[in-house]
Amino acid sequence: MHYFAYGSNMSIPRLRARLPDATPIETYQLSKHRLCFHKVGQDGSGKCDIQYTGQAEDYVLGVLYELNPDDKKELDQIEGLGKGYAEKEVELSSMTGQHCTAWSYYAIQTKPGLKPFSWYKQHVLFGAEQAGLPASYIQMIELVPATEDPDNDRAAVQLAVYPVS
């Protein structure tokens, strides 16, 4: 089954720490949406959302994954399906002109002005860079204000999926 990841799950190490069999396919674009960090996270910080705008100039870039259908229930629980996110089918186009349909999560609990924790933003940036997203798109993510997580242990656990350099 195809899953469109546009936030922290773009990071292959992050998603594979959750679902070891997740296989990245290619970078895709979702039109008429914009990337926001206004989803209320379980920890109170801002998480990513694909907000529908209906505007032709708006788009979200992300990674299309092939998932084992048996893993969807696990990811639904991790992502909080029904408790902050809902799911929808999305029509995507790739940079090579391919089109496909996938499912993705979208926020149902949002709050303007939320900031992501810096570790969460780091997941999103790592995934964007790993996917080879355009520099202008990566810069847009870099400009999102973030805040430090007061729980240093949580931040360390979150970033432990990356090799120490």
Side-chain angles (χ1 to χ4, degrees), residues 73-101:
K73 186 175 181 181
E74 176 75 15
L75 191 58
D76 287 347
Q77 184 177 352
I78 291 167
E79 293 296 322
L81 181 64
K83 300 175 187 168
Y85 280 121
E87 63 184 328
K88 67 179 176 179
E89 190 172 86
V90 291
E91 297 291 327
L92 306 169
S93 56
S94 75
M95 304 306 165
T96 59
Q98 300 292 320
H99 296 277
C100 80
T101 302

Side-chain angles (χ1 to χ4, degrees), residues 2 11 17 20-21 29 32-33 39 44 46 49 56 75 82 94 101 104 106 110 134 143 148 158 160:
H2 289 136
S11 166
D21 295 331
Q29 176 177 306
K32 298 183 181 181
H33 288 73
K39 188 257 182 200
D49 177 32
L75 191 58
S94 75
T101 302
S104 195
Y106 69 96
T110 62
L143 292 173
E148 292 304 314
Q158 287 295 324

Side-chain angles (χ1 to χ4, degrees), residues 77-149:
Q77 184 177 352
I78 291 167
E79 293 296 322
L81 181 64
K83 300 175 187 168
Y85 280 121
E87 63 184 328
K88 67 179 176 179
E89 190 172 86
V90 291
E91 297 291 327
L92 306 169
S93 56
S94 75
M95 304 306 165
T96 59
Q98 300 292 320
H99 296 277
C100 80
T101 302
W103 63 271
S104 195
Y105 298 105
Y106 69 96
I108 54 174
Q109 294 179 340
T110 62
K111 182 178 177 184
L114 282 179
K115 292 180 183 175
F117 286 140
S118 57
W119 59 258
Y120 180 84
K121 182 176 163 183
Q122 188 171 339
H123 283 313
V124 179
L125 283 168
F126 186 91
E129 291 167 358
Q130 189 177 43
L133 299 187
S136 59
Y137 195 85
I138 292 171
Q139 183 179 31
M140 180 222 22
I141 297 168
E142 288 173 338
L143 292 173
V144 171
T147 188
E148 292 304 314
D149 189 341

